[in-house]
Amino acid sequence: MSVLIKGGHIVTAVDDFVGDILIEGETIVEIGASLGANADRVIDAGGKYVIPGAVDPHTHMEMPFGGTVTCDDFTSGTTSAAFGGTTTHIDFCLQAPGQSIPDALVTWHEKIERCPPVIDVSFHMAITDLHDGGRLEDVAKVPEQGVTSYKLFMAYKGAIMVDDETLFRTMQVAAKTGALVMVHAENGDAIDVLVKQALAEGKTEPRWHAATRPPITEGEATGRAIKLAHLAGCPLYVVHVSCGEAIEPVAAARAAGWRTWGETCTQYLFIDETRLEEPDFAGAKYVYTPPPRPVHNQELLWKALQTGVLSVVSTDHCPFRWEDQKALGRDDFSKIPNGGPGIENRLHMLHHFGVREGRLTMNKFVDLCCTQPAKLFGLFPRKGTIAVGSDADIVVWDAEKPLTLSAATHHSNVDYNLFEGTEVIGAPELVMCRGEVIVENDELVASPGSGQFIARARFGEALRPKAGVAAS
Ligand code: URP
Ligand code: ZN
Ligand code: ZN
């Protein structure tokens, strides 16, 4: 099957031109002017942007956490992603207490077999325990399975937090295996003390979630992780950077030439700590970690994206229904499952408030949402760009399409939307994953299972296009 995407305004992280894209099967085979009159299908993209399918490197599908399980499985979560223009996501395979690393990977592969994805999927290995289940030899073997990043949590004491020994030993393994280490950087010990003290004083409402996780706890852990990674000699990626206190050590490390990268997430650019005070327990919707911050941090985050201090915007899609899951913490904020939804709306929000409002160029928008995540996580050049030989993961983006973001119309199983009622202009008209149209005219036209598991390359290595495709 050949498809021609005709006359679109093609934008990658570096290109900006009007042209045609010819696709054979799953792959882009030619880019130019007046191509392929004989294609099986011609898609008229005149007047529309044509951008790479977006890559979301931070999601939590069907993940046991906080006494419950995130409410999107791989089918519902990836359907939601597809409607927003995301065609690949990388999910955290979370080692359960006492579980071996190989068994954890089997568990996550079973999840995508039981609830098959609509878009392509890869995994990070989230190591929670090296003492019982997790042997360092097993950690070293993980990249052989195409899982080329290790994640460690420096918070969530008593649950999935690791100590500095575990963190540092994993970093030493990563230095040898070519894996990228990712950290959730907060000082979990200090936070645990602050949470206990707040509860002892009868402070139980959602707003205490932010008050007990002040920005300095994120800044301290970020600096510590950066120094340990430098000592161990591994590359480091700091997830969900939320505040100036954490931006500073990332900026300093990068200025010094250290192999440090950071992401922020959509919600930190738009939602501030006052939302936790919404009445009738509505504040629980914003209980994610790190918490929403004082509003001045939003400008610091935009600046960090603009200047390359932060490299990626992800979603940290970790959905818990408000009605019955967030409700677990009605009488105690520390029991509210931590996490928020967002996989569907990242491009909507960044295009409207980033590109349309002049904070980002179209190239930078593509770089942050598609190209940098693909490069940092061993998916490039198969994913994250529009090039001959790359997978035909493509979004025809209508920059004039109005949309109101809402739980009533989104495609996740979650019962609220962090950006409820926000009116944006700009949305996908058509979404394609490996040459298959998966969303068109606001309808899902693919079936679960159209997405595949993608084995990623090691840090800094290219994921080569499939054999038999000549790159020009
Ligand atoms: O609140 C959050 N972010 N939940 C998901 C787990 C994590 O810390 O990324
Ligand atoms: Zn986290
Ligand atoms: Zn997360």
Side-chain angles (χ1 to χ4, degrees), residues 4-8 10 17-22 30-39 42:
L4 181 69
I5 302 180
K6 197 155 185 55
I10 299 167
F17 59 94
V18 173
D20 302 345
I21 300 170
L22 184 62
E30 207 174 346
I31 300 169
S34 308
L35 297 180
N38 300 324
V42 177

Side-chain angles (χ1 to χ4, degrees), residues 218-398:
E218 186 182 338
E220 183 280 325
T222 303
R224 181 162 33 109
I226 288 170
K227 289 179 190 122
L228 292 176
H230 186 65
L231 181 62
C234 72
L236 181 74
Y237 180 93
V238 184
V239 302
H240 49 43
V241 171
S242 72
C243 58
E245 285 79 350
I247 292 170
E248 275 170 30
V250 173
R254 288 176 65 72
W258 291 12
R259 294 192 299 162
T260 302
W261 289 265
E263 67 169 25
T264 191
C265 310
T266 325
Q267 54 273 29
Y268 298 110
L269 296 166
F270 299 103
I271 292 171
D272 71 77
E273 64 179 358
T274 60
R275 304 292 290 277
L276 286 156
E277 292 166 22
E278 286 185 5
D280 301 326
F281 199 58
K285 295 173 183 172
Y286 311 99
V287 171
Y288 44 75
T289 302
R293 295 300 191 189
V295 70
H296 73 270
N297 289 286
Q298 293 173 8
E299 276 320 303
L300 300 178
L301 290 168
W302 282 112
K303 196 169 161 208
L305 293 171
Q306 288 157 350
T307 56
V309 169
L310 296 179
S311 307
V312 170
V313 180
S314 74
T315 66
D316 195 3
H317 181 75
C318 187
F320 296 107
R321 286 181 305 272
W322 180 78
E323 186 69 39
D324 60 320
Q325 295 187 293
K326 293 284 184 183
L328 294 169
R330 266 199 181 268
D331 302 323
D332 174 351
F333 72 89
S334 72
K335 296 198 167 67
I336 301 170
N338 285 199
I343 200 166
E344 190 161 335
N345 299 134
R346 175 176 57 140
L347 269 59
H348 298 133
M349 293 294 285
L350 282 189
H351 173 264
H352 184 99
F353 296 101
V355 178
R356 286 188 80 95
E357 296 198 348
R359 294 182 176 96
L360 304 174
T361 63
M362 267 306 279
N363 295 117
K364 186 72 177 178
F365 167 63
V366 169
D367 201 33
L368 293 170
C369 297
C370 316
T371 315
Q372 285 300 325
K375 285 185 170 173
L376 286 166
F377 292 100
L379 290 164
F380 189 85
R382 246 189 90 178
K383 308 283 187 191
T385 194
I386 294 176
V388 171
S390 296
D391 284 359
D393 295 351
I394 291 175
V395 178
V396 178
W397 183 267
D398 183 347

